[in-house]
Coordinates of all heavy atoms in Angstrom, one line a residue:
D1 N -3.1 8.6 -2.5 CA -4.0 9.4 -1.6 C -5.4 9.5 -2.0 O -6.2 10.2 -1.4 CB -3.4 10.9 -1.7 CG -3.5 11.5 -3.1 OD1 -3.3 10.8 -4.1 OD2 -3.8 12.8 -3.2
E2 N -5.7 8.9 -3.2 CA -7.1 8.9 -3.7 C -7.8 7.6 -3.1 O -7.4 6.4 -3.5 CB -7.3 8.9 -5.1 CG -6.6 10.2 -5.8 CD -6.9 10.1 -7.3 OE1 -7.9 9.7 -7.8 OE2 -5.9 10.5 -7.9
P3 N -8.9 7.8 -2.2 CA -9.4 6.6 -1.5 C -9.9 5.6 -2.6 O -9.7 4.3 -2.4 CB -10.5 7.2 -0.8 CG -10.1 8.5 -0.5 CD -9.3 9.0 -1.7
I4 N -10.5 5.9 -3.6 CA -11.1 5.0 -4.6 C -9.9 4.2 -5.3 O -10.1 3.0 -5.4 CB -12.0 5.7 -5.6 CG1 -13.2 6.3 -4.9 CG2 -12.4 4.7 -6.7 CD1 -14.2 7.1 -5.9
V5 N -9.0 5.0 -5.7 CA -7.8 4.2 -6.4 C -7.2 3.4 -5.5 O -6.7 2.2 -5.8 CB -6.9 5.3 -6.9 CG1 -5.6 4.6 -7.6 CG2 -7.5 6.2 -7.9
L6 N -6.9 3.8 -4.2 CA -6.4 2.9 -3.2 C -7.1 1.6 -3.0 O -6.5 0.5 -2.9 CB -6.2 3.7 -1.9 CG -5.6 2.9 -0.7 CD1 -4.3 2.4 -0.9 CD2 -5.7 3.8 0.6
E7 N -8.4 1.7 -2.9 CA -9.2 0.5 -2.8 C -9.1 -0.4 -4.0 O -9.1 -1.6 -3.9 CB -10.7 1.0 -2.6 CG -11.7 -0.2 -2.4 CD -13.2 0.4 -2.1 OE1 -13.3 1.5 -1.9 OE2 -14.1 -0.5 -2.2
V8 N -9.1 0.1 -5.2 CA -8.9 -0.6 -6.4 C -7.6 -1.4 -6.4 O -7.5 -2.5 -6.8 CB -9.0 0.3 -7.7 CG1 -8.6 -0.4 -8.9 CG2 -10.5 0.8 -7.9
N9 N -6.6 -0.6 -6.1 CA -5.2 -1.2 -6.0 C -5.1 -2.5 -5.1 O -4.5 -3.4 -5.3 CB -4.1 -0.2 -5.8 CG -3.9 0.8 -6.9 OD1 -4.4 0.6 -8.0 ND2 -3.4 1.9 -6.7
I10 N -5.7 -2.1 -3.9 CA -5.7 -3.2 -2.9 C -6.6 -4.4 -3.4 O -6.1 -5.6 -3.3 CB -6.4 -2.8 -1.6 CG1 -5.5 -1.7 -0.9 CG2 -6.6 -3.9 -0.6 CD1 -6.2 -1.0 0.3
G11 N -7.7 -4.2 -4.1 CA -8.4 -5.3 -4.7 C -7.6 -6.0 -5.7 O -7.7 -7.3 -5.8
F12 N -7.0 -5.3 -6.6 CA -6.1 -6.0 -7.6 C -5.0 -6.8 -7.0 O -4.8 -7.9 -7.3 CB -5.4 -4.9 -8.5 CG -6.2 -4.3 -9.5 CD1 -5.9 -3.2 -10.4 CD2 -7.6 -4.8 -9.8 CE1 -6.6 -2.6 -11.3 CE2 -8.4 -4.2 -10.7 CZ -7.9 -3.2 -11.5
L13 N -4.3 -6.3 -6.0 CA -3.3 -7.0 -5.2 C -3.8 -8.3 -4.5 O -3.1 -9.3 -4.6 CB -2.6 -6.1 -4.2 CG -1.4 -6.6 -3.5 CD1 -0.3 -6.7 -4.6 CD2 -1.0 -5.6 -2.5
E14 N -5.0 -8.2 -4.0 CA -5.5 -9.4 -3.2 C -5.9 -10.5 -4.3 O -6.0 -11.6 -3.7 CB -6.8 -9.0 -2.6 CG -6.6 -8.1 -1.3 CD -7.9 -7.6 -0.6 OE1 -8.9 -7.7 -1.3 OE2 -7.7 -7.1 0.5
K15 N -5.9 -10.4 -5.6 CA -6.2 -11.4 -6.5 C -4.9 -12.1 -6.9 O -4.9 -13.1 -7.6 CB -6.7 -10.7 -7.8 CG -8.1 -10.1 -7.7 CD -8.6 -9.5 -9.0 CE -9.9 -8.8 -8.8 NZ -11.0 -9.6 -8.4
M16 N -3.7 -11.6 -6.3 CA -2.4 -12.3 -6.5 C -1.8 -12.9 -5.3 O -1.5 -12.1 -4.5 CB -1.5 -11.2 -7.2 CG -2.0 -10.5 -8.3 SD -0.9 -9.3 -9.1 CE 0.2 -10.5 -10.0
D17 N -1.8 -14.2 -5.4 CA -1.4 -14.9 -4.1 C 0.0 -14.7 -3.7 O 0.4 -15.0 -2.5 CB -1.7 -16.4 -4.4 CG -3.2 -16.8 -4.4 OD1 -4.0 -16.0 -4.0 OD2 -3.6 -17.8 -5.1
E18 N 0.9 -14.4 -4.7 CA 2.3 -14.3 -4.4 C 2.6 -13.0 -3.5 O 3.9 -12.9 -3.1 CB 3.0 -14.1 -5.7 CG 2.9 -15.3 -6.7 CD 1.7 -15.0 -7.7 OE1 0.9 -14.2 -7.4 OE2 1.7 -15.7 -8.6
F19 N 1.7 -12.1 -3.3 CA 2.0 -10.9 -2.7 C 1.1 -10.7 -1.4 O 0.1 -11.2 -1.3 CB 1.7 -9.7 -3.6 CG 2.5 -9.7 -5.0 CD1 2.1 -10.5 -6.0 CD2 3.7 -9.0 -5.0 CE1 2.9 -10.5 -7.1 CE2 4.5 -9.1 -6.1 CZ 4.1 -9.8 -7.2
S20 N 1.7 -9.9 -0.5 CA 1.2 -9.6 0.8 C 1.2 -8.1 1.1 O 2.3 -7.6 1.2 CB 1.7 -10.5 1.9 OG 1.1 -10.1 3.1
L21 N 0.1 -7.5 1.3 CA 0.1 -6.0 1.6 C 0.3 -5.9 3.1 O -0.3 -6.4 4.0 CB -1.3 -5.5 1.4 CG -1.5 -4.0 1.7 CD1 -0.6 -3.1 0.7 CD2 -3.0 -3.6 1.5
I22 N 1.5 -5.1 3.4 CA 1.9 -4.9 4.8 C 1.7 -3.6 5.3 O 1.9 -3.2 6.5 CB 3.4 -5.3 4.9 CG1 4.3 -4.4 4.2 CG2 3.6 -6.8 4.6 CD1 5.7 -4.6 4.6
G23 N 1.3 -2.7 4.4 CA 1.0 -1.3 4.9 C 0.6 -0.3 3.7 O 0.7 -0.7 2.6
M24 N 0.1 0.8 4.1 CA -0.2 1.8 3.1 C -0.3 3.2 3.7 O -0.2 3.4 5.0 CB -1.7 1.6 2.6 CG -2.8 1.7 3.7 SD -4.4 1.0 3.2 CE -4.1 -0.8 3.3
S25 N -0.1 4.2 2.8 CA -0.1 5.5 3.3 C -0.8 6.5 2.1 O -0.7 6.1 1.0 CB 1.4 6.0 3.5 OG 1.3 7.3 3.9
T26 N -1.2 7.6 2.7 CA -1.9 8.6 1.7 C -1.1 9.9 1.6 O -1.5 10.8 0.9 CB -3.3 9.0 2.3 OG1 -3.2 9.5 3.5 CG2 -4.3 7.7 2.4
S27 N 0.1 9.9 2.1 CA 1.0 11.0 2.0 C 2.5 10.7 1.9 O 2.8 9.6 2.3 CB 0.8 12.0 3.2 OG 1.3 11.5 4.4
G28 N 3.3 11.4 1.3 CA 4.7 11.2 1.1 C 5.5 11.0 2.3 O 6.2 10.0 2.6
K29 N 5.3 12.0 3.3 CA 6.2 12.0 4.4 C 5.8 10.7 5.3 O 6.7 10.2 5.9 CB 6.1 13.3 5.2 CG 6.6 14.5 4.5 CD 6.4 15.8 5.3 CE 7.1 16.9 4.5 NZ 6.8 18.3 5.2
D30 N 4.6 10.6 5.5 CA 4.1 9.4 6.3 C 4.6 8.2 5.7 O 5.1 7.2 6.3 CB 2.6 9.3 6.5 CG 2.0 8.2 7.2 OD1 2.4 8.1 8.4 OD2 1.5 7.3 6.6
A31 N 4.6 8.1 4.3 CA 5.0 6.8 3.6 C 6.6 6.7 3.9 O 6.9 5.5 4.1 CB 4.8 7.0 2.0
L32 N 7.3 7.6 3.8 CA 8.8 7.5 4.0 C 9.0 6.9 5.4 O 9.8 5.9 5.6 CB 9.4 8.8 4.0 CG 9.8 9.3 2.6 CD1 10.2 10.9 2.5 CD2 10.7 8.5 1.8
E33 N 8.3 7.4 6.5 CA 8.5 6.8 7.8 C 8.2 5.4 7.9 O 8.9 4.5 8.4 CB 7.7 7.7 8.9 CG 8.2 9.1 9.0 CD 7.4 9.9 10.0 OE1 6.5 9.1 10.7 OE2 7.5 11.1 10.2
K34 N 7.0 5.0 7.3 CA 6.6 3.7 7.4 C 7.4 2.7 6.5 O 7.7 1.6 7.0 CB 5.1 3.6 7.0 CG 4.1 4.2 7.9 CD 2.7 4.1 7.5 CE 1.7 4.8 8.4 NZ 0.2 4.8 8.0
I35 N 7.8 3.1 5.4 CA 8.7 2.3 4.5 C 10.0 2.1 5.1 O 10.5 0.9 5.1 CB 8.8 3.0 3.1 CG1 7.5 3.0 2.3 CG2 9.9 2.3 2.3 CD1 7.5 3.7 1.2
K36 N 10.6 3.0 5.8 CA 11.9 2.9 6.4 C 11.7 1.8 7.6 O 12.7 1.1 7.8 CB 12.4 4.2 7.1 CG 12.8 5.2 5.9 CD 13.2 6.5 6.6 CE 13.4 7.6 5.5 NZ 13.7 8.9 6.1
K37 N 10.6 1.9 8.2 CA 10.3 1.0 9.4 C 10.0 -0.5 8.9 O 10.6 -1.5 9.4 CB 9.3 1.5 10.3 CG 8.9 0.6 11.4 CD 7.8 1.2 12.3 CE 7.4 0.3 13.5 NZ 6.4 0.9 14.3
L38 N 9.1 -0.5 7.9 CA 8.7 -1.8 7.5 C 9.6 -2.6 6.5 O 9.6 -3.8 6.3 CB 7.3 -1.7 6.9 CG 6.1 -1.3 7.8 CD1 4.9 -0.9 7.1 CD2 5.9 -2.2 8.9
K39 N 10.3 -1.7 5.6 CA 11.2 -2.3 4.6 C 10.5 -3.2 3.7 O 10.8 -4.4 3.6 CB 12.4 -2.8 5.2 CG 13.4 -1.8 5.8 CD 14.6 -2.4 6.3 CE 15.6 -1.2 6.7 NZ 15.1 -0.4 7.8
P40 N 9.4 -2.8 3.0 CA 8.7 -3.8 2.1 C 9.6 -4.1 0.9 O 10.4 -3.3 0.4 CB 7.5 -2.9 1.7 CG 7.9 -1.5 1.8 CD 8.8 -1.6 3.0

């Protein structure tokens, strides 16, 4: 939920070729809905 931390984590993840970001959320309930749908 912290925009700066989210940006840092995305930046860290982008440095690793084995991983692909498919979604993000800033709240728990929204995260649950998206994770159930996307199944990361």
Side-chain angles (χ1 to χ4, degrees):
D1 69 320
E2 297 181 38
I4 295 178
V5 178
L6 177 60
E7 184 178 346
V8 168
N9 291 345
I10 292 173
F12 282 176
L13 189 65
E14 289 175 345
K15 296 179 184 294
M16 307 186 71
D17 294 335
E18 305 91 338
F19 298 87
S20 174
L21 180 65
I22 64 169
M24 64 191 79
S25 180
T26 58
S27 68
K29 293 179 180 179
D30 179 67
L32 281 171
E33 291 182 7
K34 291 180 178 177
I35 291 170
K36 291 175 188 177
K37 179 180 179 180
L38 296 173
K39 291 184 172 55

